[in-house]
Amino acid sequence: MLGYTFLAICVASWVSALIDPAPVLPKFGKPLDNLTVSVGREATFTCIVEDLGLYKVAWLRVDTQTILTIASHVITKNHRIAVTHSGHRTWSLHIRDTRETDRGWYMCQVNTDPMSSNTGFLDVVATSTEGPELEIVRVSRRHMGPYLCIASNGVPPTVSKRIVLIVHFPPKVWVGKQLEGVYEGQTVTLACRSEAFPRPITYWTRPTNEIIINDDNFKIASSSTGYESVIELTIRAVQLQDLGTFKCVAKNALGETEDTIKLNRIAAPSTTHRPNARRESKKSWISEFNQEKKAAATKGSSMGNGIDNGDGDEELTDFDSATSSSTTSRHLLVLGMATIIAILGGRFPT
């Protein structure tokens, strides 16, 4: 029945060609390419026909003499077969999900008189082999991760298989420093790193051996990547009861381990500023100078020779002016005062 249908189409084309006094016959642009695909991939034959006109393009399976498509219609009942075209010039036969039974010759045919055709061969291959084995001696946690087995026989595409290696091992923990100095009111963060698989349960305990949870004084944050985990403990405003040994504990089905860090009390940083120290030093010198002056006065001595015995405010003002000068001037002033006091002591014997 299919043969008769194609024959009828051919007859109609011949009649149209006879009406045209000078018909232009179609011609193929290039031969069909032979194809090699792996099982399960799509194979696509492309047939280029110039000056197709009213003629039709059909695709056939040569070895079984099966008509697959005529023009843009799929004739075969094989649901894996499809046909597409572009501008009636480029005609493509698609064979999806190829099987080894699809191997053979395929024909692009135009219903001219005589028939013109173009053929190509489809080879369907399977990549199947047993490759070398990968042996890992003395497996450790550092061997964990994905491994890729790649196979290629020169026929695209290359295939691969991903295998993930998982190693189970008991926890290991590291706190770092074993001793930490802190002062009252300080905020301090303690970090504990662990490695284990399956992923462990990790927590901190305080000096009283109580498990620490988030509250106003303690904050716990954790993160993990692969078999590595980090749990941080932040202590806000350290108090006396927070001093002592903190413990980081990690446990899984294969074991349990811990590491400790001790918080010791240290003195808080000094808040004394240098300007205040300078003011205290200035007051000390003023007091010493006034005491020397009073001692000399009680011995009936005069504060002459360039030393003003008048208003104390003036002395303070002069001293303030002197202390606001450069460092060299202050040294000279102190030296001068010491010299004057020594002279006064020499002039007024007891």
Side-chain angles (χ1 to χ4, degrees), residues 3 10 46 56 64 84 94 101 104 114 142 145 175 184 205 220 231 237-238 253 263 307 320 330 342:
C10 293
T46 300
K56 304 296 181 182
T64 61
T84 59
H94 304 271
T101 55
R142 293 180 178 83
V175 171
E184 288 186 71
T205 64
I220 296 177
I231 179 170
V238 172
L263 299 187
I307 301 299
D320 286 340
R330 289 200 298 271

Side-chain angles (χ1 to χ4, degrees), residues 293 303 307-315:
K293 189 170 66 173
M303 298 295 292
I307 301 299
D308 188 359
N309 195 26
D311 191 356
D313 291 339
E314 184 177 350
E315 295 169 0

Side-chain angles (χ1 to χ4, degrees), residues 4-276:
Y4 289 115
T5 302
F6 189 60
L7 180 62
I9 294 174
C10 293
V11 171
S13 299
W14 291 333
V15 172
S16 299
L18 291 174
I19 297 174
D20 187 350
V24 178
L25 295 178
K27 56 182 179 296
F28 293 104
K30 64 174 184 176
L32 288 184
D33 293 328
N34 293 329
L35 301 179
T36 300
V37 298
S38 56
V39 172
R41 300 287 179 172
E42 179 176 314
T44 303
F45 285 105
T46 300
C47 182
I48 298 176
V49 183
E50 306 288 354
D51 302 321
L52 181 61
L54 297 177
Y55 292 98
K56 304 296 181 182
V57 173
W59 285 99
L60 295 84
R61 175 80 181 264
V62 176
D63 53 354
T64 61
Q65 292 296 309
T66 304
I67 299 176
L68 303 177
T69 69
I70 298 176
S72 58
H73 304 286
V74 176
I75 303 303
T76 181
K77 293 182 179 180
N78 187 343
H79 66 279
R80 297 183 295 109
I81 300 296
V83 61
T84 59
H85 66 90
S86 175
H88 290 313
R89 178 178 179 271
T90 302
W91 294 83
S92 298
L93 174 68
H94 304 271
I95 307 172
R96 295 186 293 266
D97 189 21
T98 54
R99 304 170 183 173
E100 292 187 65
T101 55
D102 294 325
R103 184 184 292 112
W105 289 95
Y106 290 80
M107 177 184 292
C108 172
Q109 188 180 87
V110 178
N111 59 336
T112 56
D113 184 19
M115 295 287 185
S116 57
S117 63
N118 217 343
T119 59
F121 186 80
L122 172 63
D123 190 13
V124 182
V125 297
T127 301
S128 177
T129 183
E130 291 185 6
E133 295 180 350
L134 173 64
E135 182 178 357
I136 303 176
V137 181
R138 300 183 65 181
V139 173
S140 71
R141 62 184 181 276
R142 293 180 178 83
H143 293 113
M144 289 183 65
Y147 292 78
L148 203 61
C149 175
I150 302 173
S152 174
N153 64 353
V155 179
T158 298
V159 296
S160 62
K161 179 68 175 180
R162 185 173 183 268
I163 302 173
V164 178
L165 175 63
I166 297 176
V167 180
H168 291 225
F169 60 96
K172 297 179 180 294
V173 296
W174 299 268
V175 171
K177 295 188 297 183
Q178 302 299 308
L179 189 63
E180 180 81 18
V182 295
Y183 56 87
E184 288 186 71
Q186 179 184 356
T187 295
V188 64
T189 297
L190 311 178
C192 175
R193 185 170 66 91
S194 66
E195 295 181 358
F197 199 89
R199 188 172 296 171
I201 298 173
T202 310
Y203 57 88
W204 282 94
T205 64
R206 57 197 308 171
T208 58
N209 286 329
E210 297 175 89
I211 296 178
I212 299 174
I213 59 174
N214 284 319
D215 58 21
D216 293 337
N217 297 324
F218 300 99
K219 179 183 178 182
I220 296 177
S222 60
S223 61
S224 60
T225 303
Y227 59 82
E228 298 180 328
S229 301
V230 177
I231 179 170
E232 292 184 336
L233 169 64
T234 299
I235 307 173
R236 302 185 183 96
V238 172
Q239 302 173 15
L240 290 178
Q241 60 265 31
D242 296 327
L243 301 178
T245 300
F246 284 78
K247 187 184 302 181
C248 176
V249 181
K251 61 173 66 176
N252 67 5
L254 300 178
E256 176 179 343
T257 188
E258 63 185 40
D259 200 4
T260 61
I261 182 171
K262 186 176 182 180
L263 299 187
N264 273 0
R265 183 183 180 186
I266 61 174
S270 175
T271 58
T272 305
H273 300 290
R274 290 184 60 84
N276 293 340

